[in-house]
């Protein structure tokens, strides 16, 4: 159990992508403690089956609850798409916040009715995205693209290398050709590539990252349940990874300036263990 003021916000992703959500949560709720879990033993989730991802999501939820989390933020579009509903059903007393590609704000803001979405294959196949496409697909054209290799590039810290720029140019060219004026970042890894993406799509395309809205929703849920800590002292954060701790340490410092503790945890069959 952690010693931080309760409740602690448990956040997870396949890797460092969810840190784009973590930094918004910390910006909006600077006194709330967090537990961040990067399942780097299994990154990327994108090409994996829904069943496998659901299994990971359940075990990670058990792990974060055991470590003291009072709310779970699924800071991964891929895991949210397949696991959010089953998680809510399996843990009726736990508040969950999930990600979905920000098609709604894009549909509201577009001037020419053309919206682009980049995400993983599993996100596009999931029910959450299908519902969004059904709901908004009549009013706007929704153009989708998967971007193989981008998650790995962010995990490696290659944010603005020639290789990553080429991956992005190749991925975005067909979307730009359709004339979109909104581009939804449908994977939490992509906001770390935002400056490069904005250079490629140019000033006429608005780039939308749902992280601020997800952090606001987390705050709303905490307040509704009267769970937001009234502490005004420094918040306690702990990061876990199922991969090498030194790797997450390095990347968390580079991506979000996190200098705190990183603890390794290990998969034992379907369970996550830590020795801390
Ligand atoms: N960051 C994740 C997402 O939002 C997962 C990407 C992956 O592991 O493929 O979809």
């Amino acid at each position: 159990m952690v010693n931080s003021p309760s409740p602690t916000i448990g956040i997870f992703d396949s890797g460092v992508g969810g840190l784009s959500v973590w930094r918004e949560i910390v910006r909006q709720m600077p006194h709330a403690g967090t537990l961040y879990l990067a399942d780097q033993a299994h990154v990327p989730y994108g090409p994996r089956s829904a069943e496998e991802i659901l299994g990971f999501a359940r075990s990670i939820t058990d792990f974060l609850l055991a470590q003291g989390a009072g709310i779970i933020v699924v800071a991964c579009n891929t895991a949210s798409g397949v696991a959010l509903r089953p998680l809510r059903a399996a843990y009726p007393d736990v508040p969950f916040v999930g990600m979905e590609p920000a098609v709604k704000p894009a549909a509201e803001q577009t001037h020419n009715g053309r919206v682009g979405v980049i995400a993983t294959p599993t996100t596009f196949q999931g029910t959450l995205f299908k519902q969004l496409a059904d709901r908004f697909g009549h009013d706007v054209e929704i153009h989708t693209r998967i971007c193989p290799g981008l998650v790995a590039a962010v995990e490696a810290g290659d944010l603005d290398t020639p290789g990553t720029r080429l991956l992005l140019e190749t991925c975005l060219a067909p979307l730009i050709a359709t004339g979109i004026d909104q581009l939804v970042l449908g994977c939490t890894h992509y906001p770390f590539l935002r400056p490069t993406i904005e250079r490629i799509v140019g000033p006429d395309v608005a780039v939308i990252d749902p992280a601020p809205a997800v952090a606001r929703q987390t705050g709303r849920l905490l307040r509704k349940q009267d769970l937001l800590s009234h502490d005004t002292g420094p918040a306690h954060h702990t990061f876990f990874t199922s991969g090498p701790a030194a790797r997450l340490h390095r990347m968390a410092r580079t991506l979000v300036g996190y200098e705190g503790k990183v603890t390794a945890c290990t998969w034992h069959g379907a369970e996550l263990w830590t020795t801390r």
Side-chain angles (χ1 to χ4, degrees):
M1 280 295 190
V2 291
N3 299 319
S4 60
S6 62
T8 301
I9 304 172
I11 304 166
F12 75 89
D13 180 43
S14 59
V16 296
L19 292 176
S20 62
V21 179
W22 178 87
R23 81 178 156 191
E24 272 303 320
I25 287 176
V26 169
R27 201 177 58 77
Q28 293 183 24
M29 292 170 278
H31 305 296
T34 67
L35 296 165
Y36 183 86
L37 185 125
D39 187 12
Q40 290 176 302
H42 295 134
V43 68
Y45 278 3
R48 293 177 184 271
S49 73
E51 201 184 8
E52 199 178 11
I53 295 166
L54 178 57
F56 298 152
R58 289 186 78 125
S59 302
I60 293 169
T61 298
D62 286 336
F63 177 86
L64 289 172
L65 293 175
Q67 295 295 324
I71 180 169
I72 303 288
V73 179
V74 186
C76 173
N77 290 264
T78 309
S80 295
V82 297
L84 201 54
R85 240 196 238 171
L87 285 175
R88 286 187 171 130
Y91 304 83
D93 298 331
V94 178
F96 284 92
V97 180
M99 310 290 305
E100 65 175 30
V103 174
K104 183 170 184 267
E108 284 164 3
Q109 287 163 35
T110 179
H111 296 295
N112 67 11
R114 289 179 215 138
V115 165
V117 185
I118 50 175
T120 68
T122 311
T123 295
F124 286 133
Q125 282 150 22
T127 44
L128 269 185
F129 186 75
K130 292 215 172 84
Q131 283 166 0
L132 285 172
D134 285 348
R135 192 160 150 214
F136 297 102
H138 302 292
D139 307 328
V140 295
E141 284 174 30
I142 302 174
H143 299 276
T144 60
R145 282 289 281 172
I146 59 167
C147 304
L150 270 195
V151 167
V154 175
E155 288 291 319
D158 295 340
L159 304 185
D160 196 17
T161 60
T164 303
R165 282 198 295 275
L166 183 63
L167 276 180
L168 277 171
E169 279 159 9
T170 312
C171 162
L172 295 171
L175 288 181
I176 297 169
T178 64
I180 56 163
D181 70 355
Q182 308 286 314
L183 177 66
V184 175
L185 306 183
C187 168
T188 54
H189 280 75
Y190 301 165
F192 294 117
L193 301 165
R194 187 173 185 147
T196 317
I197 291 172
E198 284 180 336
R199 270 204 309 278
I200 295 170
V201 297
D204 296 335
V205 179
V207 175
I208 305 181
D209 168 16
V214 169
R216 279 195 296 278
Q217 173 63 6
T218 307
R220 267 194 296 271
L221 260 188
L222 286 170
R223 273 186 291 275
K224 195 166 132 204
Q225 314 216 356
D226 206 18
L227 287 174
L228 197 56
S229 166
H230 298 292
D231 267 308
T232 50
H236 181 103
H237 305 292
T238 302
F239 283 15
F240 297 93
T241 177
S242 57
R247 177 171 140 202
L248 181 60
H249 209 271
R250 196 175 58 247
M251 285 309 297
R253 186 190 299 130
T254 307
L255 296 174
V256 295
Y258 176 78
E259 298 282 357
K261 193 169 159 192
V262 176
T263 301
C265 53
T266 322
W267 285 99
H268 287 265
E271 278 181 34
L272 256 183
W273 293 358
T274 182
T275 47
R276 84 173 183 138

